[in-house]
Every structure is written in C-alpha cells, then in structure tokens.
Amino acid sequence: MPDPSRMPKGCKFFERCKYSSEECESNTPLMTALEGTHQVRCFRYSNGQGGN
C-alpha cells in the first residue's frame, strides 16, 4: 500500500496492478459507468478494453 502521506501521481493502484501502463503512472483515470450502479476508475475500461 502507498504511504498515505505520499500518494503517487496518477492512478492510486498503478504500483500494484498487473495491467498498469505508463498512462496510469502519470494520469488519473476518470470514473466510467458500468451496468446499474457500478462504476470503475480505470483506463482499461475508459479505452474500451474492459476487464480482460
């Protein structure tokens, strides 16, 4: 887990995510609506790649 006093730039999960990319390290993804009340904040979903 990142140190709360020194949160990384970009996506808060990029250091732990096996799908992270350079974009994740420097940019924060926008919230993307899924079905119903589900939402995700991930470039893979906003770029149309889904959870694969």
Side-chain angles (χ1 to χ4, degrees):
M1 300 266 318
D3 180 346
S5 66
R6 296 181 343 185
M7 292 301 285
K9 294 179 184 177
C11 179
K12 305 305 180 209
F13 294 97
F14 86 89
E15 294 177 326
R16 304 179 264 165
C17 179
K18 68 179 184 179
Y19 301 111
S20 66
S21 66
E22 289 181 24
E23 181 178 29
C24 303
E25 188 172 348
S26 58
N27 299 302
T28 302
L30 298 174
M31 189 69 73
T32 301
L34 300 178
E35 295 180 25
T37 59
H38 294 244
Q39 298 177 325
V40 65
R41 190 180 297 263
C42 180
F43 289 114
R44 291 176 56 80
Y45 283 87
S46 61
N47 293 335
Q49 296 176 13
N52 299 326

